Amino acid sequence: FDSNRQFPGALKPYEYSDLQFLLSGADLLKVRSGSWKKTRFYKLQEDCKTMWHESKKALRPRQTFSVEDIECVRSGRQTEGLRKYTEEALETRAFSILFKGRRKNLDLVAASEEEAKHWVSGLQKIISNLNSLSQQQKTEHWIFNCLRKADINGDNKMSQEELKNFLKNINIEVDDDYVKLIFEVCDKSHCGFLELEEIKHFYEILTQREEIDVIYEEYAKTNGLMSAFNLLEFLSKEQKEEVDLAHAVQLIEKYELDEAEKQLMTKDGFLMYLHQPEGLIMKPSHKGVYQDMTQPLNHYFISSSHNTYLLEDQIKGPSSTEAYIRSLMKSCRCLELDVWDGSDGEPVIYHGYTLTSKILFKDVIKAIKEYAFKTSNYPVILSLETHCSVDQQKLMAQHMTTILEDALITKPLGDHMPMELPSPEELKGRFLVKGKRLNRLEALFLDEDTEEEEVVTEEEDSRDDDDEEDAQRNSSKKSKTLNLAKELSDIVIYCKSVKFHGFEHARNNQSFYEISSFKEGDAMKLAEKSANEYILHNEGKLSRIYPSGFRTDSSNYNPVPLWNAGCQIVALNFQTPCTEMDLNQGLFSQNGMCGYVLKPFFLRHRDSEFDPITLNRGPWLKHTEFRVISAQQLPKVNPKISSIVDPLVRVQIHGVPADMAEKETDYIVNNGFNPMWNSYFQFDLSVPKLALVRFVVEDYDAVSSNDFIGQCTIPFTSVQNGYRHVPLFNKNGDLLSSAGLFVHTMAVDAE
């Protein structure tokens, strides 16, 4: 392997200085609190993807973290820690490294402004380059780094023992006879170690994909290569794509690696194509916004967060503006703000009657403004749970109007009283406030005045978290009334909170701009026993569902039955990695990951007879086959070199009750690098438009429960037919860079 290939991607001349600086390393001031500020030496290791830093801990004098674990690098004092524990004068020298998952931020101060710029721009370039690698390049980069790690004495040669350790590093357990055999095949110089071309030969043997070879050889009918006509035959027959010859020619020009064979596709070019968007399981057209975004807001599922301010549990976990940023960067479009009186006159956000920490309301609004539209231009709903005095409510209104400015919706669009909610397209780049309102929206067009403040009674107040608060204050008998400031009331336009009194009452009394909130238990009962009524209710109005107050560990409920009943705002604890969040990420992975998904027609038609429980209407049946063929580069569950996974794959269908199903492969012993199953599964789907397909990879354990390795969830309607690679995500929902599944799918209308 050429050492010049360590750093992926092309570098501009000025970027080499950043990289050279990181490789040399420098002292940085690590900031944890007002009293804990210590200098530590940091440097980038030669693999250009691992950061090393010294530690004063006796058992861990040297520590590392992977650049791939970094979510982003922010220059300046942008985190709560740096703003709180450093002076403004350090603004140009400060920066933060934010990690994926629950790992704490790394708040750092460089020795100079110039050094800070080197750190920030250098790390950002490395992250950008790693993210832009093709799957094949990621595999090469990963294997190369494992080879470097296995070369214990650093002589750029591979002994038989080093080769065995390398195979363990990449998640393969083999016996000594196999190691000896593969070593002898590659050791053509018979010198007792591998180097240069011999290591390259070993790499080629290691990365050979037999399952791809079989497919390629069947269609490579032009002197052993694949012509555009051959590729078109493959696309039509296997992939079931309705494309023409020009498309096949374009694919060859785009992905063929051999410049001498640009009219034909080699095996390497074919493998490259299968790793690109055209060859992945999700339809490329669904990765962008492809749905009609001009329908009323209530016609969409909306990605929604519960207790957005929390990073952990509901009792003593930290509240943070970072939690809002993380949710927004995952395209969450409905955020919860639980607001209470602050001791210094400024309203604060925290989980009432608990030990969770407090953050300033105005700091949250500033963070929301900065990050709201970085991943999606579609509207953000601010769901207010207001427990403040009137004076601090006025401050809340003032902060929102001054910080969010014209982006905040403060009056209906247009000059006349609307008859339905506006569309996501009309509300692009705007903020909606969900909360209490003193009067009806119609009053704005009738010149009706209201008092400066009024009491909102329980009848008018949805009190989203009544059960939650009652549970946590031991059924306190405090009054459930609230004095509401006119200033706060006036900015609630399209999402006025009202209490739900039954479907008949809602039909006769609830306006399109009024939204009811349901605790999960009540919503589940309605979705099970009155599903069609719930669907008709949600056809014309928004509904918000929230977890039970007894979920103090921030666990989640199953959102699928609520989506089946047409509920739009199914709020989940985004801070908790779990199957339910995988399903949420899966549903919203389509439509450009914009946070809005258009509900199927039968969930937004005012005369719909659809019932997900009885399935009394709908000729939608699909017969589906999945063949789980193989996996590549699965990560270790246990970092010990001797720990090798025994992988199996579960294929799950989540949807209406009749479609819920799960099937699994056998487990493969001691091979996480390239396990092969070739397992066939069949499913019949009654309502494919509500189905999610979930692939789960686990490490088999005969004694205890299996360990999670990775998963991918995708809407059934986004699945491509044919031979497809499936990307895998870790428990936090982050992409596993080099891991994946290879499957064959086929869905046809049932006869």
Side-chain angles (χ1 to χ4, degrees):
F1 285 97
D2 183 356
S3 60
N4 292 327
R5 295 174 65 195
Q6 293 174 30
F7 187 77
L11 285 172
K12 300 178 179 66
Y14 68 87
E15 291 169 338
Y16 277 108
S17 63
D18 291 334
L19 180 60
Q20 209 56 51
F21 177 83
L22 266 61
L23 288 168
S24 300
D27 284 333
L28 290 168
L29 184 68
K30 184 177 178 180
V31 179
R32 281 187 179 171
S33 67
S35 59
W36 201 104
K37 298 177 184 178
K38 299 182 180 180
T39 301
R40 296 285 184 263
F41 184 78
Y42 287 78
K43 68 172 291 188
L44 181 68
Q45 293 193 326
E46 290 183 4
D47 65 0
C48 288
K49 61 183 292 187
T50 307
M51 286 292 295
W52 175 93
H53 61 103
E54 64 178 342
S55 171
K56 300 301 182 183
K57 294 179 180 178
L59 298 177
R60 292 190 295 174
R62 298 181 178 186
Q63 292 184 287
T64 61
F65 60 84
S66 172
V67 174
E68 291 183 327
D69 293 334
I70 298 175
E71 182 71 44
C72 64
V73 182
R74 294 189 199 146
S75 59
R77 297 161 60 249
Q78 290 197 50
T79 62
E80 293 168 7
L82 284 174
R83 284 196 297 266
K84 188 173 182 180
Y85 303 126
T86 63
E87 304 79 31
E88 195 171 336
L90 297 176
E91 180 70 32
T92 57
R93 291 165 49 195
F95 67 97
S96 299
I97 297 175
L98 284 80
F99 295 96
K100 299 171 182 176
R102 288 191 174 188
R103 183 169 177 171
K104 291 180 180 177
N105 303 341
L106 197 52
D107 290 332
L108 303 164
V109 179
S112 67
E113 179 179 349
E114 184 181 0
E115 287 194 7
K117 287 180 179 177
H118 277 309
W119 281 111
V120 173
S121 60
L123 285 171
Q124 287 177 340
K125 178 60 181 176
I126 294 171
I127 293 167
S128 174
N129 277 24
L130 286 172
N131 289 339
S132 63
L133 290 178
S134 70
Q135 188 69 26
Q136 195 162 338
Q137 289 171 319
K138 288 176 182 176
T139 298
E140 288 181 3
H141 197 59
W142 177 68
I143 292 176
F144 173 75
N145 288 324
C146 289
L147 281 167
R148 288 176 57 87
K149 192 184 297 184
D151 183 15
I152 298 170
N153 58 9
D155 62 357
N156 291 321
K157 299 175 183 178
M158 188 73 65
S159 69
Q160 193 165 315
E161 187 61 31
E162 285 174 333
L163 180 67
K164 186 174 181 180
N165 284 334
F166 164 73
L167 291 171
K168 287 182 177 179
N169 271 327
I170 63 171
N171 222 346
I172 308 177
E173 179 70 62
V174 293
D175 59 31
D176 291 342
D177 290 340
Y178 179 80
V179 173
K180 183 180 179 182
L181 176 65
I182 195 171
F183 191 87
E184 288 174 351
V185 168
C186 297
D187 183 18
K188 295 183 178 179
S189 61
H190 306 291
C191 61
F193 53 78
L194 308 182
E195 58 180 339
L196 300 175
E197 290 300 315
E198 293 170 332
I199 294 178
K200 183 180 178 183
H201 184 209
F202 167 65
Y203 168 78
E204 289 169 350
I205 292 174
L206 186 70
T207 56
Q208 183 177 2
R209 296 277 302 274
E210 293 180 14
E211 70 275 35
I212 302 294
D213 293 350
V214 171
I215 302 166
Y216 180 78
E217 288 165 7
E218 184 179 346
Y219 290 92
K221 301 175 181 177
T222 307
N223 298 322
L225 299 174
M226 207 181 257
S227 68
F229 285 103
N230 301 150
L231 180 58
L232 179 61
E233 183 185 4
F234 168 77
L235 295 173
S236 302
K237 184 177 177 182
E238 301 290 353
Q239 310 296 72
K240 303 300 180 186
E241 295 180 17
E242 296 179 1
V243 293
D244 56 17
L245 186 63
H247 179 74
V249 170
Q250 186 181 30
L251 287 179
I252 293 175
E253 291 175 349
K254 192 174 181 181
Y255 297 124
E256 177 49 50
L257 305 172
D258 190 341
E259 290 296 328
E261 300 289 355
K262 277 298 184 183
Q263 303 303 312
L264 300 170
M265 182 173 267
T266 63
K267 193 186 300 179
D268 286 342
F270 184 64
L271 181 59
M272 177 68 77
Y273 147 73
L274 285 173
H275 276 303
Q276 299 303 315
E278 293 93 338
L280 298 183
I281 192 161
M282 176 176 265
K283 295 175 181 176
S285 61
H286 286 200
K287 294 196 172 192
V289 175
Y290 72 97
Q291 295 179 331
D292 177 7
M293 302 303 287
T294 64
Q295 301 204 26
L297 213 58
N298 47 289
H299 284 186
Y300 298 83
F301 297 124
I302 304 172
S303 181
S304 307
S305 166
H306 172 253
N307 287 355
T308 314
Y309 45 89
L310 291 178
L311 287 170
E312 296 175 15
D313 65 76
Q314 320 264 319
I315 301 298
K316 59 184 188 309
S319 304
S320 173
T321 56
E322 194 58 45
Y324 285 93
I325 295 170
R326 290 182 184 181
S327 293
L328 288 167
M329 295 305 287
K330 291 182 177 178
S331 297
C332 179
R333 299 290 89 186
C334 182
L335 311 172
E336 183 176 8
L337 297 85
D338 213 342
V339 195
W340 301 76
D341 279 343
S343 56
D344 60 353
E346 280 287 347
V348 294
I349 291 178
Y350 81 110
H351 201 43
Y353 308 104
T354 69
L355 300 176
T356 57
S357 59
K358 300 175 182 179
I359 48 177
L360 290 176
F361 176 80
K362 64 180 178 182
D363 286 348
V364 169
I365 298 301
K366 288 175 184 176
I368 289 173
K369 182 188 180 183
E370 183 173 354
Y371 288 91
F373 305 111
K374 287 189 180 292
T375 60
S376 170
N377 291 325
Y378 291 102
V380 171
I381 300 171
L382 305 179
S383 181
L384 299 183
E385 298 303 322
T386 306
H387 312 273
C388 297
S389 62
V390 170
D391 286 342
Q392 293 205 16
Q393 287 178 45
K394 291 178 180 178
L395 260 182
M396 287 171 59
Q398 180 183 325
H399 288 322
M400 284 189 281
T401 52
T402 56
I403 295 170
L404 302 179
E405 301 176 303
D406 292 343
L408 181 67
I409 294 286
T410 58
K411 60 181 181 180
L413 304 180
D415 300 325
H416 305 286
M417 178 64 198
M419 302 302 292
E420 62 182 13
L421 291 172
S423 70
E425 190 67 31
E426 291 175 290
L427 294 169
K428 265 187 174 178
R430 307 298 294 274
F431 295 95
L432 306 176
V433 175
K434 172 194 166 294
K436 291 81 180 176
R437 183 179 172 88
L438 293 171
N439 56 7
R440 298 181 66 79
L441 195 61
E442 289 84 349
L444 292 177
F445 299 91
L446 299 173
D447 296 325
E448 291 182 8
D449 292 326
T450 57
E451 298 296 324
E452 281 299 304
E453 61 188 71
E454 286 186 15
V455 172
V456 179
T457 66
E458 186 181 8
E459 287 299 302
E460 298 163 329
D461 176 8
S462 67
R463 299 296 289 175
D464 291 353
D465 287 318
D466 278 348
D467 74 315
E468 193 168 340
E469 291 165 22
D470 288 347
Q472 289 157 358
R473 65 189 175 194
N474 297 319
S475 300
S476 168
K477 299 299 183 183
K478 289 185 180 180
S479 169
K480 293 180 183 177
T481 61
L482 174 75
N483 288 320
L484 183 60
K486 181 178 183 298
E487 291 86 346
L488 190 57
S489 166
D490 285 350
I491 57 176
V492 175
I493 304 300
Y494 290 118
C495 297
K496 176 185 176 181
S497 296
V498 298
K499 196 167 184 68
F500 181 72
H501 294 286
F503 292 125
E504 184 177 357
H505 181 273
R507 277 194 299 273
N508 297 327
N509 298 281
Q510 192 171 330
S511 296
F512 68 89
Y513 58 83
E514 293 179 320
I515 173 174
S516 295
S517 290
F518 304 80
K519 59 185 176 183
E520 66 173 88
D522 293 342
M524 289 290 188
K525 288 176 185 175
L526 291 173
E528 182 179 344
K529 297 180 179 179
S530 308
N532 182 254
E533 279 194 285
Y534 215 173
I535 288 167
L536 295 176
H537 173 84
N538 291 322
E539 181 280 324
K541 305 167 186 69
L542 288 170
S543 289
R544 174 180 177 267
I545 320 300
Y546 60 93
S548 163
F550 295 100
R551 291 185 181 272
T552 54
D553 58 351
S554 291
S555 60
N556 278 307
Y557 56 95
N558 182 5
V560 174
L562 289 317
W563 291 329
N564 291 344
C567 298
Q568 302 89 348
I569 303 178
V570 182
L572 298 176
N573 289 306
F574 267 52
Q575 70 272 29
T576 305
C578 57
T579 299
E580 294 79 16
M581 275 305 301
D582 292 343
L583 297 173
N584 192 79
Q585 182 174 346
L587 175 67
F588 292 102
S589 64
Q590 62 181 313
N591 206 31
M593 292 192 292
C594 73
Y596 286 83
V597 169
L598 185 65
K599 296 194 289 185
F601 178 75
F602 52 82
L603 292 183
R604 48 189 167 86
H605 189 270
R606 63 187 57 187
D607 298 319
S608 176
E609 296 181 19
F610 175 73
D611 188 313
I613 309 300
T614 62
L615 298 179
N616 58 339
R617 289 286 187 277
W620 304 298
L621 192 64
K622 285 271 187 185
H623 179 72
T624 308
E625 292 182 0
F626 290 100
R627 176 157 62 107
V628 178
I629 301 172
S630 62
Q632 300 78 44
Q633 290 91 59
L634 298 176
K636 286 173 173 279
V637 172
N638 187 321
K640 290 182 180 178
I641 191 171
S642 60
S643 174
I644 311 296
V645 300
D646 302 328
L648 62 82
V649 181
R650 298 181 193 275
V651 182
Q652 302 172 340
I653 303 294
H654 297 262
V656 300
D659 290 344
M660 296 289 289
E662 176 178 289
K663 298 180 181 180
E664 69 177 61
T665 67
D666 294 329
Y667 65 91
I668 305 293
V669 178
N670 288 336
N671 187 351
F673 182 74
N674 55 2
M676 188 95 69
W677 292 278
N678 265 320
S679 297
Y680 285 86
F681 303 123
Q682 295 185 353
F683 301 92
D684 286 325
L685 301 185
S686 301
V687 192
K689 292 195 175 201
L690 288 176
L692 295 168
V693 183
R694 184 169 185 253
F695 298 91
V696 189
V697 186
E698 296 177 346
D699 179 16
Y700 173 77
D701 194 318
V703 179
S704 60
S705 59
N706 296 343
D707 290 316
F708 175 88
I709 295 176
Q711 69 85 35
C712 178
T713 305
I714 180 173
F716 178 81
T717 52
S718 296
V719 172
Q720 295 203 87
N721 280 325
Y723 290 101
R724 305 294 175 183
H725 278 105
V726 181
L728 292 176
F729 300 84
N730 66 17
K731 65 180 181 180
N732 294 314
D734 300 313
L735 183 68
L736 292 168
S737 61
S738 57
L741 295 174
F742 186 55
V743 303
H744 183 271
T745 71
M746 191 57 58
V748 296
D749 293 332
E751 294 181 1

